[in-house]
């Protein structure tokens, strides 16, 4: 009986250890109070309110696309965050850049993959400032049953090698494999507010696990 008890105890401790390792491998990219680890136009476009990163303005038209970028490069990862998009007029749109870089001209723009967010683009994969097309998108009718407009949504990006998967509120919206060997598979993460609308893109609970 002792050997069985010891065996069960060992399995229990091993399980707890594995759970702790999983928890520890997930890192918060936002401390809820500062822009530490991020860079961008924090004077005019991006702000922090009540533990939430907000880009844009509901009272004034956002003049152009703008991004708040990580200061760290990532290649293979599992990113989880909450996103809320609100707006009253214009092209109300947002998204999360990844494996991306800032352009030099214009300096406020980015190039790379984008997990898109907004009407007609919900939870699709867009190629920003490069191929300038939606690479793959979920069924336009089905995705509307998954999302919560003007409210918080759970968005996940899983990038492993050349395979990219997107999830919205627990539903897989995209499973894409890059076939072009010239496309970089490492880069920055960026939060977007699209230009041309009176809109706000809000983000919180941003966690990343390196794969």
């Amino acid at each position: 009986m002792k050997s069985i008890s010891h065996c069960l105890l060992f399995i229990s401790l091993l399980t707890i250890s594995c759970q702790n390792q999983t928890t520890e491998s997930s890192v918060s990219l936002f401390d809820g109070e500062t822009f530490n680890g991020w860079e961008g136009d924090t004077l005019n476009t991006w702000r922090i309110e009540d533990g939430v990163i907000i880009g844009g303005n509901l009272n004034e038209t956002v003049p152009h696309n703008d991004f708040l970028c990580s200061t760290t490069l990532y290649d293979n990862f599992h990113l989880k965050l909450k996103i809320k998009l609100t707006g009253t007029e214009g092209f109300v749109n947002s998204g999360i850049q990844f494996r991306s870089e800032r352009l030099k001209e214009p300096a406020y723009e980015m190039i790379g993959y984008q997990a898109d967010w907004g009407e007609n683009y919900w939870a699709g994969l867009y190629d920003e400032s490069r191929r300038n097309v939606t690479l793959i998108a979920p069924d336009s009718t089905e995705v509307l049953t998954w999302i919560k407009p003007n409210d918080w949504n759970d968005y996940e990006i899983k990038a492993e090698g050349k395979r990219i998967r997107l999830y919205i509120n627990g539903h897989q919206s995209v499973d894409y494999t890059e076939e072009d060997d010239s496309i970089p598979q490492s880069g920055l993460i960026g939060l977007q507010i699209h230009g041309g609308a009176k809109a706000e893109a809000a983000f919180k609970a941003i966690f990343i696990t390196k794969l």
Side-chain angles (χ1 to χ4, degrees):
M1 292 295 292
K2 273 189 175 182
S3 61
I4 295 176
S5 298
H6 289 161
C7 184
L8 291 174
L9 178 61
F10 174 76
I11 293 173
S12 177
L13 291 174
L14 184 61
T15 301
I16 292 172
S17 175
C18 289
Q19 289 175 343
N20 288 339
Q21 288 176 9
T22 301
T23 301
E24 290 171 0
S25 66
S26 180
V27 177
S28 175
L29 295 185
F30 174 48
D31 63 18
E33 298 179 351
T34 72
F35 286 114
N36 288 341
W38 298 89
E39 63 84 16
D41 181 11
T42 56
L43 293 178
N44 303 304
T45 304
W46 297 94
R47 63 189 185 277
I48 297 172
E49 293 181 0
D50 300 322
V52 176
I53 294 175
I54 302 174
N57 194 307
L58 294 176
N59 300 314
E60 298 177 7
T61 300
V62 179
H64 53 70
N65 287 359
D66 209 283
F67 299 85
L68 183 73
C69 295
S70 67
T71 56
T72 302
L73 301 174
Y74 297 93
D75 46 23
N76 297 308
F77 62 86
H78 185 185
L79 179 70
K80 296 182 179 182
L81 56 77
K82 293 182 182 292
I83 183 172
K84 180 169 69 172
L85 177 65
T86 53
T88 56
E89 61 181 68
F91 184 59
V92 180
N93 181 270
S94 178
I96 303 104
Q97 292 289 135
F98 60 99
R99 292 178 169 176
S100 300
E101 62 179 286
R102 279 203 182 275
L103 287 176
K104 293 182 179 179
E105 186 60 41
Y108 54 76
E109 187 59 88
M110 292 193 76
I111 179 172
Y113 296 114
Q114 182 180 128
D116 220 334
W117 193 245
E119 187 175 359
N120 298 322
Y121 292 89
W122 301 115
L125 181 64
Y126 189 79
D127 198 21
E128 180 81 11
S129 299
R130 187 164 49 200
R131 288 170 285 194
N132 293 311
V133 295
T134 297
L135 300 171
I136 186 172
D139 180 271
S140 59
T141 300
E142 187 175 30
V143 72
L144 294 178
T145 67
W146 301 342
I147 68 170
K148 295 178 283 185
N150 302 308
D151 201 352
W152 289 107
N153 293 263
D154 294 314
Y155 214 149
E156 297 181 46
I157 302 169
K158 186 175 286 188
E160 296 178 279
K162 292 192 173 185
R163 187 182 184 189
I164 296 169
R165 283 168 285 178
L166 304 183
Y167 302 84
I168 190 66
N169 295 323
H171 300 274
Q172 183 173 293
S173 64
V174 160
D175 191 343
Y176 174 80
T177 300
E178 182 59 67
E179 297 182 352
D180 188 339
D181 291 335
S182 70
I183 301 297
Q185 297 301 298
S186 177
L188 301 171
I189 290 171
L191 310 179
Q192 185 206 44
I193 178 63
H194 202 286
K198 292 181 178 179
E200 288 183 349
F203 305 86
K204 65 179 181 179
I206 308 171
F207 293 91
I208 195 165
T209 302
K210 292 184 179 180
L211 302 177

